[in-house]
Amino acid sequence: MKRLICVLILLLHSVVFLHCYAETGERVDVSSFGAVPNDGLDDSEAIRKACDYCRHRKGAVLFFPPGLYNYRDSLALKIEKEAINGAYGENVQGTLFKPDAPYVKALDLAGAEDLVIDAGGATLLLDGWYEVISIVGARNVTVKGLSITYRRPPNTVGKIMKLNEKSFDMQIDPERYYYLDEVVTGRIHYVDAVKKTLYTGGRCFGKELLSKDMIRIYTDFKPSIGDYCVLRHSGHYRPAIMIKESSDVFIEDVKIHSQPGMGIVGHLSENITMNNLQVIPEAGAVISTNTDATHFTSCKGRITIENCKFGGQGDDCTNIHNYYYTIVPQTKRSVEIKIQNADLHALSLDYPDVGDTLLVVNKSNLIERERFVVQQVDTSVADWKVCVTLDKDWLIGSPDLFYMTNITRRPSVRITNNTVKSHLARAFLIKSKNVLINKNVIQNSTGTAIQLGAEAGWRESGPVENVLIENNWISGCGYAQGTQGASSGISVAVSGVKEKTGLLNKNILIRNNVIEAVNEHAIAIEDAEDVQIVNNDISGCLQPVYMNNTQSVVVKNIRYLE
């Protein structure tokens, strides 16, 4: 075990979060453009004008007085209604989650520099589906204090009232869940009404609207009467906050109560900080975002998630990764790189910068084969194509045998002092280096609480390196969807490969955690070397630590409580 791991992580992440902005430019009150809170009127045009004014003025502060702001747009309303009433069938994502699909930006902050949105106590109530805040090509942007919610949630939640032979009936509130028509759609999961935990069931064969307040779900699965059934009317869609090709973005004291897609997506960006972000259901609700709370791809610099709260979302709290590209040769020194069999959450081209290092790995086991430095990048959105010129000839054999990944875009990660409760999949899914995960409370994630390592099946790279996981309390996780290595607490592995891989995950210290497991293992370590597991309190599992394909693993001072 390299002593460098502890020194490096502590040096990178020892600074306590503190971000203050200085008002260097004009302070603009959104009400001066006509957006008046709590008057019941549509504020969309006034908010658009205010954002457009401020994003073209360096250092501006756009102030939202406390209160409720209404946002309506005819195209967004059309998209929402058709997605929910069955016009797109079950494949809502396949229709709307495309680069050329129409969508609406609510707060467009493209190109802004040194901009602050000061919205403490303000709530944006959205009619229709949106990319709510769009931060593209921007630098040093702060969004502070805003709450985001939808008048008609992008999901339908009903109480299970009756079990039939091959179906069950769920009762809904038609005043809240309107737009439903003869064709009822949506991905299904459930909420235990007593434990307040999420779970998934068996295959659904169909859905039928019996009356304005009753839906029948055809399935062999038997949930419990009194539990809630959730129909998520979209899988992936545009996020509440898009951060793309931007740097130094701060999201502070923001609440995201619902969204048809993810909460925050960051892509090709540098230095993103979230402090007291809350992706949680509204009071009285059980669901927040339809998919991930946050998701970051091809970023660099650092990603900080601190003092945040997550719950009720339909997938991970965060997923931080790069991509494994398919390689198409062009000349001896140029290749096209393509993302295939993976979700493009930003619906944008993914490309390296000149000077970035591209790593070539075997498809079969992800073991390194060669490295290249990018000399030139050519992109075409029209052809959806990225070509790169390399610093030397390609001499290693057929590109069909390899993936390529950009190892320059592997951000350091700080995840500290967060609270996670009751959601689908993993809390923290990390594929990067120089990672600190500490002082978090993680309860009732359906999957393994913390998962580290590449997932080749999703084309999400890469393995982890230099990781410190300490002083976390993990309880009741890993009982359903998203569990890896039959582990409740922590899993380290490489997945989606056809052959035995190398020891790709390196330099990991797991110490002083409390893990109350509900699966076979509390910790599962695979495809890794230089790992220390020290001073952890573990209960509720048959085998506290599972190991496979490892080297230089030290396990000591495990306190196991049967």
Side-chain angles (χ1 to χ4, degrees), residues 475-493:
S475 179
C477 299
Y479 62 88
Q481 176 184 336
T483 301
Q484 178 168 288
S487 60
S488 286
I490 301 165
S491 171
V492 180

Side-chain angles (χ1 to χ4, degrees), residues 20 24 28 32 57 78 177 231 278 308 345 378 429 454 485 510:
C20 299
T24 59
V28 178
S32 65
R57 284 161 174 79
K78 178 178 183 291
Y177 299 114
L231 306 179
Q278 298 185 42
C308 299
H345 301 291
D378 298 294
L429 177 55
I510 300 170

Side-chain angles (χ1 to χ4, degrees), residues 324-328 338-343 363 456-459:
Y324 286 119
Y325 302 120
T326 297
I327 308 160
V328 181
K338 303 172 69 173
I339 297 176
Q340 296 180 318
N341 302 315
D343 290 319
K363 280 185 178 181
W458 291 102
R459 303 295 192 271

Side-chain angles (χ1 to χ4, degrees), residues 447-475:
T448 304
I450 300 169
Q451 180 178 323
L452 309 176
E455 293 185 299
W458 291 102
R459 303 295 192 271
E460 294 182 3
S461 70
V464 296
E465 184 176 353
N466 302 338
V467 180
L468 174 58
I469 301 174
E470 66 173 356
N471 299 321
N472 300 284
W473 175 33
I474 300 170
S475 179

Side-chain angles (χ1 to χ4, degrees), residues 21 45 78 91 143 163 196 209 255 257 272 284 293 314 320 331-332 344 366 374 452 463 476 500 508-509 559:
Y21 62 84
E45 189 61 27
K78 178 178 183 291
N91 194 20
V143 179
L163 301 181
K196 308 300 182 186
L209 187 66
K255 295 179 182 178
H257 290 309
I272 300 173
I320 301 173
T331 68
K332 288 184 178 180
L344 293 172
L366 302 187
V374 177
L452 309 176
K500 182 178 179 180
I508 300 166
L509 175 57
R559 293 177 290 272

Side-chain angles (χ1 to χ4, degrees), residues 328-386:
V328 181
Q330 304 295 299
T331 68
K332 288 184 178 180
R333 285 205 177 189
S334 67
V335 295
E336 180 187 356
I337 52 177
K338 303 172 69 173
I339 297 176
Q340 296 180 318
N341 302 315
D343 290 319
L344 293 172
H345 301 291
L347 293 177
S348 298
L349 286 177
D350 186 273
Y351 56 87
D353 293 325
V354 172
D356 284 0
T357 298
L358 300 180
L359 178 71
V360 178
V361 300
N362 298 324
K363 280 185 178 181
S364 59
N365 55 22
L366 302 187
I367 293 175
E368 178 178 344
R369 181 62 184 272
E370 184 61 277
R371 295 186 181 207
F372 295 93
V373 177
V374 177
Q375 301 292 299
Q376 181 177 322
V377 182
D378 298 294
T379 64
S380 171
V381 174
D383 297 326
W384 205 254
K385 190 172 184 178
V386 177

